[in-house]
Amino acid sequence: MRHIWRWFGPIDKVTVQDAAQAGARGIVSALHHVPTGTAWTLDEIQKRQAEVRAGGLEWELVESIPVSESIKTQTGDWKAHIEAWKESLRQLAKAGISTVCYNFMPVLDWTRTDLRWETDDGARAMRFDLVDFVAFDVHVLKRPGAAEDYPAALLDAARQRFAEMSSDKIAAISRNVGAGLPGSSDGYSIDELNVALTRYDGIGAEKLRAHLIDFLAEVAPVAESLNMRLCAHGDDPPWPLLGLPRVLSTEADYVKVLEAVDLNANGVTFCTGSLGARSDNDLPAMIKRLAPRIHFAHLRNVTRETDGLPCSFFEAQHLGGNTDMVAVIAALVSEERRRKAEGREDHVIFMRPDHGQEILEDLTRGAQPGYPAIGRLKGLAELRGIEQALSHAEYGLN
């Protein structure tokens, strides 16, 4: 696989040179300062390329060109935003960048109740505490109809939890849940979040999926003509939140979208952390069935703390948690071998170590939550070790 590293630009406290020293071979980044719905220009793209090259690597993959709420809801300037997305693809192609990751989660990107939860050994990790989240939804956000979405026992636990919360704890959860895309300055206050949720009144999963397919019907043919690849990131966590629909949480979800726009450019970002939060997702089996359209892999692990859906979970060490990472990597390496034998130019799959725990000097560096230097270095080393071992064996590759 092609080992790359997420970098948030000059504001990132983890440098490109840090990434190179950690063993990354390229960078995945985005133009976070460009407003959503605005086309990326060649000049801005080349500026970011120069910043990456100054650290000794190349900008190889985009994560992400944001998909606006207007596109997701098909309201306002949504058609103009799609045209801007197409133009961004054209300019990226001119700059030699051919793979773009994106997500289609309504209102919120990945959602956590705690961005720096302390583990048993003193490391810090991101966590989704279901009781805290329900307490926020019902008692802080006070979303209309929220109590109807949860069983009585969970509502009782959330009521007690909220009664014990300090004002600082309430403020922290509100900030964490309302945070915007990683690397961006976007986010929602309580009032803004309530307004944003109303935009999805009357939009269920089938309608949101139809909007995703409409979007892809426009942008995927452009990407195909440019020999580019688009890869959709899964929902994180992979179940409905705040009454909002989710459309990329299971294998069946992905299959519907891939079959609806049946082009190689319409592909998958296979995130083992997002999909792994559901106990009913068999990740190695999913990889084998979705393999031809997987263009990017986010490799991280989660430990599910409760049974059922939804559940509480935290971001584990890369080789900890509930996901069999050896089996996952074996399935990805097997697909690379199959593609190479088939003669595909894109036989190499991009991979990045996702969401490391903060350890050692990470604890005082203050990097973007989920993106520490040493925690990701450790994860990349472990994942690379598995891949190297598999390259000299036939474990799981038949």
Side-chain angles (χ1 to χ4, degrees):
M1 289 181 282
R2 183 68 176 173
H3 304 153
I4 59 177
W5 185 276
R6 191 167 191 183
W7 186 60
F8 294 101
I11 65 168
D12 201 326
K13 294 184 179 180
V14 181
T15 68
V16 173
Q17 189 174 60
D18 291 337
Q21 291 176 2
R25 295 293 175 260
I27 289 294
V28 49
S29 190
L31 302 181
H32 301 291
H33 60 285
V34 176
T36 299
T38 302
W40 293 8
T41 65
L42 183 59
D43 181 58
E44 288 296 324
I45 294 167
Q46 290 176 333
K47 285 180 182 177
R48 177 53 50 86
Q49 286 180 311
E51 291 165 347
V52 174
R53 285 174 186 148
L57 296 176
E58 290 287 333
W59 183 14
E60 299 188 3
L61 190 148
V62 170
E63 185 180 349
S64 304
I65 304 176
V67 180
S68 71
E69 294 302 303
S70 294
I71 291 174
K72 294 170 192 171
T73 59
Q74 292 194 357
T75 58
D77 294 333
W78 69 280
K79 292 184 178 180
H81 289 185
I82 287 180
E83 292 305 313
W85 227 88
K86 293 178 185 177
E87 181 61 18
S88 296
L89 294 180
R90 297 185 186 102
Q91 299 308 312
L92 286 164
K94 289 179 183 178
I97 299 173
S98 60
T99 306
V100 176
C101 169
Y102 70 96
N103 76 62
F104 212 81
M105 287 176 267
V107 182
L108 302 175
D109 193 69
W110 53 259
T111 302
R112 302 291 185 268
T113 55
D114 197 324
L115 303 184
R116 289 187 163 94
W117 176 72
E118 187 169 325
T119 67
D120 290 342
D121 63 7
R124 289 199 295 250
M126 295 199 293
R127 183 170 183 245
F128 181 87
D129 184 304
L130 181 58
V131 177
D132 277 358
F133 184 82
V134 175
F136 167 81
D137 191 9
V138 176
H139 300 288
V140 180
L141 186 64
K142 299 179 181 178
R143 176 174 62 89
E148 300 171 11
D149 291 344
Y150 307 107
L154 186 53
L155 288 170
D156 287 343
R159 186 180 304 110
Q160 181 176 345
R161 182 74 59 84
F162 177 70
E164 298 168 351
M165 282 184 183
S166 67
S167 58
D168 287 345
K169 176 71 171 178
I170 293 171
I173 293 175
S174 300
R175 286 194 304 272
N176 296 342
V177 173
L181 283 166
S184 76
S185 58
D186 297 334
Y188 296 96
S189 67
I190 294 297
D191 289 342
E192 290 168 340
L193 183 54
N194 268 311
V195 171
L197 294 177
T198 63
R199 295 187 67 178
Y200 285 84
D201 289 347
I203 299 179
E206 289 305 314
K207 191 168 185 179
L208 183 62
R209 181 178 294 109
H211 291 181
L212 170 56
I213 291 169
D214 288 344
F215 167 71
L216 286 168
E218 290 285 334
V219 300
V222 174
E224 189 90 352
S225 71
L226 296 168
N227 197 28
M228 298 182 75
R229 291 165 294 282
L230 309 179
C231 32
H233 189 285
D235 302 321
D236 187 10
W239 49 72
L241 293 177
L242 304 179
L244 296 167
R246 300 292 226 187
V247 294
L248 290 175
S249 296
T250 66
E251 179 180 348
D253 288 340
Y254 270 110
V255 168
K256 289 176 183 177
V257 172
L258 296 177
E259 289 182 346
V261 183
D262 193 12
L263 298 171
N264 185 55
N266 176 27
V268 176
T269 296
F270 197 89
C271 180
T272 57
S274 299
L275 296 168
R278 288 183 68 114
S279 60
D280 56 347
N281 280 337
D282 182 340
L283 302 191
M286 288 174 68
I287 291 172
K288 291 175 183 178
R289 291 189 286 267
L290 298 174
R293 304 277 275 277
I294 294 175
H295 301 319
F296 190 17
H298 287 183
L299 299 187
R300 62 180 170 90
N301 223 321
V302 298
T303 294
R304 297 186 295 271
E305 301 177 66
T306 55
D307 296 325
L309 291 171
C311 69
S312 296
F313 63 87
F314 69 89
E315 311 243 1
Q317 297 181 37
H318 285 80
L319 302 189
N322 294 112
T323 295
D324 182 347
M325 201 61 73
V326 175
V328 162
I329 295 176
L332 290 169
V333 171
S334 178
E335 171 59 14
E336 285 189 316
R337 292 183 178 183
R338 187 197 67 79
R339 291 183 191 183
K340 189 172 183 179
E342 193 179 78
R344 278 180 56 167
E345 293 182 4
D346 62 341
H347 64 274
V348 176
I349 296 172
F350 286 101
M351 175 275 276
R352 71 171 175 85
D354 202 5
H355 295 191
Q357 292 188 350
E358 293 181 347
I359 58 176
L360 306 175
E361 281 76 14
D362 290 333
L363 296 169
T364 57
R365 188 189 292 249
Q368 176 79 23
Y371 294 94
I374 301 172
R376 282 188 291 167
L377 178 155
K378 177 176 178 285
L380 178 56
E382 292 171 340
L383 300 170
R384 186 170 54 229
I386 293 172
E387 185 181 357
Q388 287 293 314
L390 291 173
S391 71
H392 293 89
E394 292 299 319
Y395 172 79
L397 300 182
N398 296 321

